[in-house]
Amino acid sequence: MKLTGMTDVAVRILMLMAVNRNDKWTIDRLSEATNSGRPQVAKVVQILNRKGYIKSRRGRLGGLMLAHAPASINIGKLIRNVEDNFALVECFACSPSKPCPLEGVCRFRGKLKHALDSFMEELDAINLTQIIENADEIRTSVESNIERKVEFSA
């Protein structure tokens, strides 16, 4: 299974917010910190806000922040909330208007479904706290990346 860039950016955003719990984030700052395009970050932030992972406050003291403790954010559930298509192959999306000629006799579809279920089961066992145990290293990595960008643009 290939997860989309949306999931990648969503996980990065939540990781950054989790290791910097007291910070208020903006879309521009998240875009820079995640090394992702502003439009994509804006779209992911909208999804994360709508699904309740982050909250936003307007005004001078406002910004974006994590809505829950990192331990309560399940990575499998996050991916299901961000990804809109888990069809590993076209036949996962078969319908009466577009039937599969092997429906009822194909064993490949069942094997792929089992593989996808196993993949998601692994991710269901992970929460955000588990992937930010190296918080200091995450902060340092992001700061170094931002400094490199400043050097290259100068």
Side-chain angles (χ1 to χ4, degrees):
M1 170 172 192
K2 181 176 180 2
L3 298 174
T4 66
M6 299 292 279
T7 294
D8 184 31
V9 171
V11 172
R12 288 188 209 182
I13 287 171
L14 294 182
M15 288 174 68
L16 291 173
M17 289 182 173
V19 299
N20 298 290
R21 290 297 303 269
N22 296 324
D23 287 5
K24 304 286 191 286
W25 293 85
T26 64
I27 289 176
D28 288 331
R29 186 170 167 222
L30 285 169
S31 177
E32 182 177 36
T34 61
N35 202 22
S36 303
R38 191 183 193 288
Q40 185 177 33
V41 169
K43 187 173 180 179
V44 171
V45 162
Q46 185 179 31
I47 293 167
L48 293 174
N49 190 38
R50 189 175 64 243
K51 298 291 184 174
Y53 290 100
I54 64 175
K55 56 187 174 183
S56 63
R57 288 203 184 125
R58 295 182 184 265
R60 191 174 61 84
L61 299 174
L64 302 163
M65 63 215 80
L66 210 53
H68 305 284
S72 69
I73 297 176
N74 179 275
I75 300 302
K77 184 176 180 185
L78 168 68
I79 291 170
R80 285 183 190 87
N81 280 315
V82 174
E83 290 291 328
D84 60 356
N85 183 0
F86 279 92
L88 293 178
V89 289
E90 192 174 318
C91 69
F92 273 32
C94 284
S95 66
S97 64
K98 189 175 181 184
C100 175
L102 300 175
E103 181 115 26
V105 297
C106 178
R107 293 189 177 143
F108 185 54
R109 181 178 178 172
K111 296 293 184 189
L112 284 176
K113 171 95 171 70
H114 176 72
L116 177 60
D117 291 346
S118 296
F119 179 73
M120 292 309 296
E121 188 177 311
E122 282 294 317
L123 295 171
D124 286 336
I126 303 169
N127 66 50
L128 186 57
T129 299
Q130 292 170 287
I131 61 174
I132 60 161
E133 290 174 343
N134 60 337
D136 291 335
E137 293 173 26
I138 293 168
R139 280 188 216 98
T140 301
S141 179
V142 170
E143 289 166 7
S144 296
N145 184 50
I146 291 171
E147 288 172 9
R148 278 193 299 272
K149 283 184 182 177
V150 170
E151 288 174 12
F152 288 127
S153 66

